[in-house]
Amino acid sequence: LPHAVMGSESVFFRPGEELKVDIAASVVLDLSGSMNEERPKLRDSSIVTQVAMEKMQIPHEIWGYSGSGGSHTCEHYEYKSFARDNARGLGRIGNNHDDVAPGGGSTPTKQAVDFSTARLRQRREENRVMFVFTDGFPDDQQGTTIAVQNAKRKGITVLGILFEGGNPYYSENEESKKMMETIFGGDYVVIDDLSSMPRQIGKRLKSLLKIKR
């Protein structure tokens, strides 16, 4: 399964070489209202991502965020924590359980980035990377930009993933890409199919792998 996400092992290293995996990854999922219908597909992609990182022995967490009607409100939903070995909670992404209600109209990405930054700062791995998945504009674009810059200053690699298929308005509006450029600089990708999210995450993780000498 990791091969399906990151490519064959021969892409990483030559036969006989051993990988040094010194990475901690935080996958942050936008669960705002526009993603409600896409949750089952997002769940499946998250499971593929989780299994691949588990096989590669990369410590990771996967969690979602949404707002309940205000830019100062942010709910966090933990599906897979750094401390938990299994990831049964990932199945909840595709269901509207009481503790994972349908997303509201706001997208508090600034608060989500700050939250992930605080968690990654507790990790001791050499490479700490945050993947921010979203399908549209945050409530506070300036604040989100500052939050991403702050994470980078603290030594955290941040990659934005813009899903154009979740919101028809954004898929036809170049402003969404300008928004991603403003917030993430050149560190973002655009996808129109949720099944490609694991591969984009895999590409960035692969770039951080090292060969043991």
Side-chain angles (χ1 to χ4, degrees):
L1 191 50
H3 294 180
V5 180
M6 301 183 188
S8 68
E9 292 180 356
S10 62
V11 174
F12 297 147
F13 53 94
R14 299 185 181 90
E17 291 181 324
E18 187 178 357
L19 283 176
K20 177 184 178 182
V21 180
D22 196 7
I23 303 169
S26 177
V27 181
V28 183
L29 305 174
D30 173 1
L31 297 180
S32 57
S34 57
M35 283 298 299
N36 285 342
E37 294 184 3
E38 302 289 343
R39 283 193 183 188
K41 294 179 182 179
L42 182 60
R43 172 201 59 206
D44 295 344
S45 289
S46 298
I47 290 173
V48 171
T49 299
Q50 189 277 327
V51 171
M53 289 196 285
E54 194 74 27
K55 293 289 186 179
M56 294 301 297
Q57 299 183 332
I58 296 174
H60 60 282
E61 64 175 6
I62 300 175
W63 57 276
Y65 72 97
S66 69
S68 59
S71 60
H72 298 292
T73 302
C74 184
E75 288 81 35
H76 306 287
Y77 308 110
E78 183 179 274
Y79 302 119
K80 165 68 176 73
S81 70
F82 283 115
R84 192 169 62 207
D85 292 333
N86 67 70
R88 294 178 182 175
L90 288 173
R92 289 164 39 229
I93 296 175
N95 301 299
N96 292 326
H97 293 287
D98 291 339
D99 61 336
V100 191
S106 62
T107 309
T109 308
K110 172 194 178 301
Q111 291 92 326
V113 172
D114 286 340
F115 185 75
S116 181
T117 298
R119 292 164 74 98
L120 283 170
R121 288 193 69 192
Q122 299 176 32
R123 303 297 306 182
R124 297 191 176 187
E125 285 79 5
E126 179 181 353
N127 298 292
R128 296 166 296 170
V129 57
M130 180 194 312
F131 299 97
V132 183
F133 168 87
T134 185
D135 74 330
F137 285 77
D139 297 331
D140 181 357
Q141 181 171 319
Q142 182 178 6
T144 304
T145 301
I146 293 172
V148 169
Q149 293 172 345
N150 180 58
K152 291 180 177 181
R153 282 195 297 269
K154 290 178 168 57
I156 297 170
T157 298
V158 184
L159 179 71
I161 302 175
L162 174 65
F163 174 49
E164 288 194 322
N167 191 319
Y169 171 77
Y170 293 134
S171 66
E172 299 173 0
N173 191 338
E174 287 297 319
E175 291 301 314
S176 59
K177 297 182 181 65
K178 293 180 181 178
M179 172 270 296
M180 294 294 286
E181 181 71 30
T182 298
I183 294 175
F184 298 100
D187 295 320
Y188 77 94
V189 296
V190 179
I191 62 175
D192 57 13
D193 186 340
L194 285 171
S195 64
S196 64
M197 183 182 77
R199 184 167 296 278
Q200 293 298 332
I201 290 176
K203 285 180 180 180
R204 178 51 60 97
L205 291 175
K206 186 174 70 174
S207 71
L208 297 173
L209 294 171
K210 295 182 179 179
I211 305 298
K212 287 185 178 179
R213 301 297 182 184

